[in-house]
Amino acid sequence: MKFKLSKYVYISKDPDLLPLHAILYVTRTGIAIEVLNTHLELLLAGNYEQLPLTHLKNFIRHEILVPEEEDELATILSFNKVRVKDRRTLSFTIQPSANCQLGCNYCGQSHTKHVMNENTADLMVNRIREAVEAKSGQIKTLSVTWYGGEPITGLSSIEYNSRKLMEIAAAHNLEYTADIITNALALREDLFQKLVTEYKIMDYQITIDGTAAYHDKRRMLKNGTASFDIIFNNVVSIAHSAFYQQSQARINIRCNVDAENKDNVMDLLKMMKEADILNKVGFYISPIHDWGDNGASTVHGISKEDFAQFEIEVFLALQEYGALDHKVLLPKRSTYTCMVVDESAEVFDAYGNISTCWDVPYTTSYFNTPFVSGNLRQPEKVDTSNALMRQWYDEIPHNDTWCKKCTFLPVCGGGCPKEWHFGTPACPSFKFNMDERLFMRKMLAADKAGTE
């Protein structure tokens, strides 16, 4: 069989740090391997027969070399579709409330005090039950993400729906898992313990956009009141509690970054370290993005390249504090871009609207558009199988994105299909800082790669 060098191999070289070797990051398999420069030259020249046999076999096994006639793009996308179809988890996102206490300056949602009522909840639960029954024998887990608005403003709906969904899972011998995206204003220690023990909500994403001086300019209450101290103190209290440390629950702090607050992130990390929580919670940064048509990314915009370089600075700071999860440095093979590619995954908002993207509910620019598939109350059953971008993996070979030619497609999957839909490149940060990630990983010896 004849072979060719896969187009899904990223080559990283640094003659000062690694004078005799190069690092090959194979996105088809998500592995990184060091090779001698002399062997790399043979690979690039196509002189595979001159490689030592053991190394040639390794290159084939790691899919650095692939069959010459293979259509690699078709292979990647076909594999993705098969893996999504074979997923053993049925996932839903539920927005129990249309309300939020905060008036974040980059939020695209329009909030009201509406909470999902029991009639809407029952219609949703019946739809989920039907989905579970349709997948009987194919799934092992029923998974729910609680989202908002601020989901805790709909606590009664979380409690009502959780009980019913856990009953469905138990009746079908499924594992039940849940996570929540919350601003943590109302997340006191006693409520946290209740959510974990009674409703199995184990993962908590909480946004803190810097220290008070910056966070409170961006994530203030709707009446303009500061929110930082309440949120930070709630996180500290929970993280130091015996219950949290003995449970398997996990808090992850997300910091939304743009040019306005970028330089304050290190102060937040220092504050978290001094509060002795940086070793107890996760931390990551994310760039501000446009939400609907609000243009949030352009107000204090930060380029993808600048964000990527700043991300490396954050990694280094976390490493210095002993809080870096080394696994984040090397993206793994991904077959699940986001929920839109899974024909069973859906979002339900407090009014009963059904969509397939988290950005859609409560965002006025999506009202009365094809992004909303329908409503639980309408007479005919809502079909989301052909929702916008549902066939994303079939679209990639023919759409206007450059994903089809990108080395990182197997670990990215195209990023955010919605952004591409509106003509915005959705490339992840690692596309712009992969060299730094690979050499950080090498220097930190996070995971010993195969070396010739």
Side-chain angles (χ1 to χ4, degrees):
M1 180 183 294
K2 292 185 177 181
F3 291 91
K4 63 182 177 182
L5 180 63
S6 171
K7 68 177 185 178
Y8 296 116
V9 176
Y10 180 82
I11 302 171
S12 185
K13 301 181 71 174
D14 189 315
D16 294 323
L17 295 176
L18 209 60
L20 300 179
H21 292 79
I23 301 177
L24 305 187
Y25 173 43
V26 191
T27 61
R28 281 184 60 141
T29 53
I31 64 104
I33 184 170
E34 290 180 30
V35 300
L36 287 166
N37 288 334
T38 53
H39 291 171
L40 176 59
E41 291 171 4
L42 293 174
L43 282 170
L44 294 174
N47 296 325
Y48 313 134
E49 70 282 353
Q50 297 180 33
L51 290 164
L53 182 58
T54 55
H55 298 313
L56 178 61
K57 289 180 177 180
N58 275 335
F59 293 154
I60 294 172
R61 178 166 61 91
H62 292 304
E63 299 185 37
I64 295 168
L65 293 175
V66 297
E68 188 177 55
E69 71 281 0
E70 181 179 2
D71 181 342
E72 290 193 83
L73 176 62
T75 297
I76 294 301
L77 297 177
S78 296
F79 183 75
N80 286 1
K81 289 189 289 185
V82 169
R83 289 299 295 268
V84 170
K85 188 177 181 64
D86 290 345
R87 282 187 87 225
R88 308 303 297 274
T89 299
L90 196 56
S91 302
F92 298 97
T93 298
I94 303 174
Q95 298 174 286
S97 170
N99 195 13
C100 183
Q101 315 96 315
L102 298 183
C104 303
N105 60 14
Y106 47 71
C107 180
Q109 292 184 338
S110 178
H111 297 135
T112 70
K113 293 184 178 181
H114 183 76
V115 173
M116 183 183 288
N117 59 42
E118 290 187 6
N119 177 261
T120 301
D122 289 344
L123 291 171
M124 178 190 69
V125 168
N126 286 337
R127 184 178 176 91
I128 293 175
R129 180 183 291 106
E130 290 174 1
V132 168
E133 291 171 350
K135 293 273 189 177
S136 178
Q138 302 174 49
I139 58 172
K140 292 184 176 181
T141 304
L142 174 60
S143 178
V144 171
T145 295
W146 299 104
Y147 185 51
E150 167 50 41
I152 293 179
T153 63
L155 179 60
S156 60
S157 181
I158 291 177
E159 295 173 332
Y160 181 84
N161 285 305
S162 291
R163 286 191 289 266
K164 289 184 172 293
L165 294 172
M166 287 189 290
E167 287 175 2
I168 291 174
H172 292 82
N173 297 313
L174 301 177
E175 179 187 8
Y176 177 83
T177 66
D179 59 274
I180 190 169
I181 290 88
T182 173
N183 61 35
L185 267 172
L187 191 64
R188 301 175 307 277
E189 187 179 336
D190 58 341
L191 177 57
F192 173 81
Q193 185 167 340
K194 181 178 183 179
L195 294 175
V196 171
T197 55
E198 295 186 29
Y199 305 118
K200 299 184 179 181
I201 302 176
M202 302 299 290
D203 291 289
Y204 295 72
Q205 178 188 297
I206 298 169
T207 299
I208 301 179
D209 278 1
T211 60
Y214 286 82
H215 174 97
D216 287 335
K217 289 194 298 183
R218 302 151 63 87
R219 297 182 64 80
M220 71 297 287
L221 271 67
K222 282 187 167 63
N223 63 9
T225 305
S227 67
F228 177 84
D229 287 343
I230 298 172
I231 295 169
F232 192 80
N233 289 337
N234 281 347
V235 171
V236 170
S237 176
I238 292 169
H240 282 285
S241 69
F243 175 80
Y244 177 77
Q245 295 177 34
Q246 293 168 8
S247 74
Q248 295 182 332
R250 178 69 171 171
I251 290 174
N252 284 292
I253 303 299
R254 170 180 172 138
C255 183
N256 293 320
V257 170
D258 59 15
E260 179 185 49
N261 72 329
K262 177 173 75 72
D263 294 336
N264 182 247
V265 173
M266 298 305 175
D267 292 332
L268 174 60
L269 287 176
K270 182 180 179 182
M271 187 174 182
M272 292 174 66
K273 175 67 174 178
E274 291 172 348
D276 193 28
I277 62 170
L278 200 53
N279 61 337
K280 298 177 176 64
V281 302
F283 181 89
Y284 71 100
I285 61 173
S286 182
I288 298 290
H289 70 280
D290 292 344
W291 198 325
D293 59 358
N294 72 353
S297 68
T298 63
V299 178
H300 297 287
I302 181 171
S303 70
K304 291 182 179 294
E305 292 82 1
D306 287 345
F307 176 84
Q309 292 310 305
F310 180 64
E311 186 178 45
I312 296 299
E313 295 178 33
V314 171
F315 288 160
L316 290 170
L318 289 170
Q319 173 63 22
E320 183 178 349
Y321 287 134
L324 178 66
D325 179 359
H326 294 180
K327 294 191 294 294
V328 305
L329 295 175
L330 192 68
K332 300 299 183 185
R333 177 72 169 90
S334 175
T335 59
Y336 192 83
T337 301
C338 72
M339 68 179 301
V340 76
V341 302
D342 183 349
E343 64 179 8
S344 299
E346 296 174 338
V347 181
F348 304 100
D349 74 11
Y351 297 99
N353 294 312
I354 306 172
S355 56
T356 56
C357 173
W358 292 18
D359 270 11
V360 171
Y362 315 141
T363 305
T364 55
S365 61
Y366 295 127
F367 291 179
N368 301 313
T369 73
F371 282 95
V372 180
S373 296
N375 189 279
L376 289 164
R377 291 188 176 84
Q378 68 186 55
E380 68 278 9
K381 185 175 181 178
V382 178
D383 180 10
T384 63
S385 62
N386 290 308
L388 280 177
M389 303 167 295
R390 201 58 131 178
Q391 313 306 321
W392 175 243
Y393 292 142
D394 290 329
E395 294 177 21
I396 286 177
H398 313 291
N399 62 23
D400 293 332
T401 72
W402 50 70
C403 302
K404 63 181 73 66
K405 297 181 180 179
C406 182
T407 301
F408 294 101
L409 176 63
V411 290
C412 167
C416 175
K418 177 185 63 63
E419 289 191 24
W420 284 112
H421 181 83
F422 289 111
T424 303
C427 303
S429 61
F430 58 71
K431 181 175 180 177
F432 306 99
N433 60 21
M434 184 50 67
D435 289 325
E436 291 87 346
R437 286 169 175 259
L438 289 170
F439 279 94
M440 270 192 72
R441 182 175 177 272
K442 167 68 178 175
M443 295 300 104
L444 297 173
D447 182 17
K448 293 182 179 179
T451 304
E452 293 186 276

